[in-house]
Amino acid sequence: MLYGRRKLLTAMPPWQGGGEMILNVTFEKTEFQDPPHRFEAGTPDISGAIGLGTAIDFIEALGRDSILEHEEALTGYGVDRLSRIPGLQLLGAGQRRLGILSFDLEGVHPHDLAQVLDQHHVAVRAGHHCAQPLLESLGHPATTRASLGVYNDERDIDRLAEAIETAREMFRR
């Protein structure tokens, strides 16, 4: 979702052209609809609005406190489980690590690790994660990152750890 103050939105020109956003057109000038319509060129994103509503319903049905409790427990389990893997370094995350496990496996490039994990049906991200200055200050040009959510459980963490162990053995020199 995007929110903007009406005064600012009224002063802004549209970023894209299309039907339903124009009030009147002549050779001399174009008059645009008032916000938000001036920014809705073409067919509205109906499926996006329905998807957003469904996502909000899902979160509300689970309850935010319940989601937080689950993700805290799962993150703790993940930190404990991955910390036992030799050569794996979890990047620090302050006092409230939640839902993200960024790590580096000694001797294995994050992209190579991600490829091996993918072959074991474990989805992760590898790279600088739009945080290059932070990673460089921590001495890591890139990391592998597992993201956790309400749809994950301890079995997913165990599968991640087992796949990392397999990769570790593959790349052992």
Side-chain angles (χ1 to χ4, degrees):
M1 289 177 54
L2 178 64
Y3 170 82
R5 293 187 183 127
R6 179 166 287 283
K7 181 179 175 183
L8 296 174
L9 292 174
T10 302
M12 289 174 57
W15 64 279
Q16 184 178 22
E20 298 299 321
M21 56 153 323
I22 297 170
L23 190 58
N24 191 33
V25 176
T26 65
F27 284 109
E28 291 77 33
K29 69 177 187 168
T30 302
E31 275 183 89
F32 298 106
Q33 296 268 21
D34 289 334
H37 306 290
R38 74 178 332 139
F39 301 106
E40 296 177 5
T43 304
D45 183 15
I46 296 166
S47 63
I50 292 168
L52 175 61
T54 301
I56 291 170
D57 291 345
F58 175 75
I59 288 169
E60 294 301 321
L62 291 175
R64 293 177 190 197
D65 290 339
S66 177
I67 292 170
L68 177 62
E69 184 179 305
H70 174 77
E71 289 184 5
E72 284 176 336
L74 191 59
T75 303
Y77 182 82
V79 168
D80 181 60
R81 183 76 167 83
L82 296 185
S83 293
R84 291 184 261 145
I85 298 174
L88 187 136
Q89 179 188 4
L90 278 164
L91 270 66
Q95 294 295 322
R96 297 233 23 193
R97 177 192 307 260
L98 185 63
I100 299 291
L101 301 171
S102 290
F103 51 92
D104 194 15
L105 185 60
E106 184 181 6
V108 183
H109 191 281
H111 289 112
D112 293 335
L113 179 57
Q115 182 70 37
V116 173
L117 297 180
D118 178 63
Q119 292 169 354
H120 288 86
H121 307 289
V122 176
V124 295
R125 298 293 306 229
H128 55 76
H129 316 294
C130 299
Q132 278 181 293
L134 173 62
L135 287 175
E136 285 180 19
S137 74
L138 296 172
H140 297 269
T143 65
T144 306
R145 182 189 75 207
S147 302
L148 310 173
V150 296
Y151 39 78
N152 294 114
D153 60 26
E154 288 82 5
R155 292 173 300 189
D156 296 315
I157 301 291
D158 292 339
R159 180 180 228 159
L160 169 64
E162 290 163 10
I164 291 170
E165 290 279 10
T166 299
R168 188 174 154 269
E169 290 299 317
M170 269 180 63
F171 288 99
R172 194 190 297 187
R173 295 175 189 196

